[in-house]
Amino acid sequence: MDPRQDKKTDVKKLIDKVRALHEGDRYLIETHGCQMNEHDSEKISFLLESMGFLPAPSEEEADLIVINTCSVRHSAEDKVYGHVGRLKHVKKTKPDLKLALCGCMMQRKASRDYVLDKFPQVDIIFGTNNIYRLPQLILSSDENDSLAMDIEDNYSDLDNQLQANRSHPFKSYVNIMYGCNNFCTYCIVPYTRGREVSRSMEDIVSEVKDLALEGTKEITLLGQNVNSYGKDLDDKSSFPELLRQINAISGLERIYFMTSHPKDISDELIACYKDLDKLAPYLHLPVQSGSNRILKKMNRHYSREDYFEIIEKIRQLDLKIALSTDIIVGFPGETEEDFKETLDLIEKVGYDNVFTFLYSIREGTQAAGMEDQVPQEVKKDRFQRLLDLVYREQRKKYESLVGSHLEVLVEGVSKNNPEKLTGRTRDFKLIHFEGPKDLIGQSIRVVVKDTSTFALEGEYIEASRS
Ligand code: 5AD
Ligand code: SF4
């Protein structure tokens, strides 16, 4: 018998045990951070509902609150501490409330120790690698009044088999690998999420096939560094090969992936955009800085010239692939010259979207120990100048689309205007338009009428022919 099956049966027994005690209890999950965390929260939600928990409409009505934490920047950690602090008072009026913390911060001893010291009201702590342990932790917390905690350094294969409560029936995240081996000098992720572990191609393809049968049209393949997918597997499965297999699954319309590292982008991957009809024309390719000196200090293993070369190859395909990137401002030692090189790179590439971050010191990373930290006022000034450029560039890009007819996957009602629907173009731009609610989940055609900095405004024309 498959040992995975054996362990799965154990988890199932624990789930039934919790159900007997908690059926009908209400839960709420608060998620901080990236798509990886969002997807982990979808798994936690599925697990809780299989234990009989029901979603709570508000914190006040919850019997269990799970906070899925992020440790990439200091500001994300502060938000979590603030939130847990506020819940101290809720717990005073409702002592039976269970409070669970999970995610990247919990994988870091320093953050965990701080939580243990300052927030004795926390009942359960688990990490990013062992979500499946939650049933056992709930039972332990029921039995003892003390903290129930379980952190695994290595990724557990049982988490692979957890199903997820997808937030939309027509779009889904799928993990393809966990962890990161790159050790960019500013980044905490390799310390919190451990070394790279790829899922088998067979598991991934079978999950995507099931999702497609259930009505998923769009999938986003998740990994910290998807281009190195398969390098740790015996059969040397590669990311382009995985994309080819997924492209062959009927029912799917769009494939996205994130995140890619420029040092690992191969010609074979670039060719996939031409060869695979479902691979959406969008690439998120974090450059972080436009200065070779800073890229070296960041341990990124490419130069700005290498990066331009990749962009050129992508442009040569002539497929209107939208590009987005991440930029860190104020990395240790960044001079005005270095910063100007970043601005120059952004202008030259002409991104569709740029995610901007102020460098944040992460204890334990190499950059935290670098002596030439940039003063906060300088960082902030550069950040504002960067934003000015990014908004200007984005607006130009968006305005050039006025009058175009685009295929849009309708995602739901607009958050800012309940009269409007919202969706994504194939190249991942947000678009708002008026239309009947039964279009949600469908691919339709929309003509672009107007723009703002972050979204397009359009008019619904017809159901898509594609
Ligand atoms: N400070 C600021 N930004 C960071 N990122 C990662 N670590 C840090 C840090 N210490 C950014 C990078 C990465 C994105 C997910 O977060 O740009 O690509
Ligand atoms: Fe962090 Fe670099 Fe790994 Fe991305 S590739 S998760 S930035 S260490």
Side-chain angles (χ1 to χ4, degrees), residues 72-73 186-188 286 288 326-328 357-362:
V72 163
R73 280 168 294 275
Y186 50 81
C187 187
I188 197 72
Q288 314 294 0
D326 292 343
I327 300 286
I328 298 179
F357 306 105
L358 273 173
Y359 168 69
S360 169
I361 298 177
R362 307 286 57 218

Side-chain angles (χ1 to χ4, degrees), residues 39-53:
H39 188 41
D40 283 350
S41 289
E42 292 177 345
K43 292 180 183 174
I44 295 167
S45 163
F46 187 92
L47 195 54
L48 286 170
E49 291 188 17
S50 63
M51 289 185 268
F53 283 84

Side-chain angles (χ1 to χ4, degrees), residues 185-310:
T185 53
Y186 50 81
C187 187
I188 197 72
V189 170
Y191 303 91
T192 57
R193 289 201 175 247
R195 292 298 67 72
E196 287 175 6
V197 181
S198 302
R199 286 180 75 188
S200 77
M201 191 112 85
E202 204 184 340
D203 277 2
I204 300 168
V205 171
S206 131
E207 180 174 342
V208 178
K209 275 186 181 156
D210 289 347
L211 287 168
L213 281 176
E214 289 162 17
T216 288
K217 293 181 173 163
E218 171 185 313
I219 58 152
T220 303
L221 305 173
L222 293 179
Q224 303 298 342
N225 182 17
V226 292
N227 308 120
S228 61
Y229 168 77
K231 288 189 180 151
D232 56 314
L233 296 176
D234 291 342
D235 59 0
K236 296 277 176 278
S237 311
S238 72
F239 186 54
E241 178 53 24
L242 179 67
L243 286 175
R244 285 192 284 271
Q245 293 211 13
I246 290 178
N247 192 69
I249 297 173
S250 56
L252 281 187
E253 292 176 10
R254 297 176 175 196
I255 305 168
Y256 295 98
F257 58 85
M258 69 176 42
T259 292
S260 297
H261 195 305
K263 80 176 166 61
D264 295 320
I265 289 257
S266 61
D267 290 350
E268 194 187 353
L269 175 65
I270 294 174
C272 286
Y273 281 101
K274 192 167 42 82
D275 301 337
L276 307 180
D277 58 330
K278 293 172 189 168
L279 185 57
Y282 172 71
L283 176 63
H284 181 62
L285 195 60
V287 67
Q288 314 294 0
S289 167
S291 151
N292 282 339
R293 218 174 57 81
I294 297 297
L295 288 171
K296 204 165 179 73
K297 284 184 85 179
M298 286 177 163
N299 194 31
R300 293 288 288 177
H301 295 283
Y302 56 84
S303 64
R304 62 185 266 133
E305 292 75 23
D306 297 334
Y307 191 87
F308 282 134
E309 211 174 291
I310 301 169

Side-chain angles (χ1 to χ4, degrees), residues 331-371:
F331 182 83
E334 183 190 73
T335 62
E336 178 63 20
E337 255 338 280
D338 295 318
F339 175 63
K340 282 194 176 136
E341 294 217 65
T342 300
L343 296 181
D344 176 69
L345 181 141
I346 291 173
E347 271 193 274
K348 287 201 168 114
V349 173
Y351 291 103
D352 296 74
N353 204 353
V354 180
F355 299 91
T356 51
F357 306 105
L358 273 173
Y359 168 69
S360 169
I361 298 177
R362 307 286 57 218
E363 287 312 326
T365 61
Q366 223 182 308
M370 292 180 184
E371 275 167 10

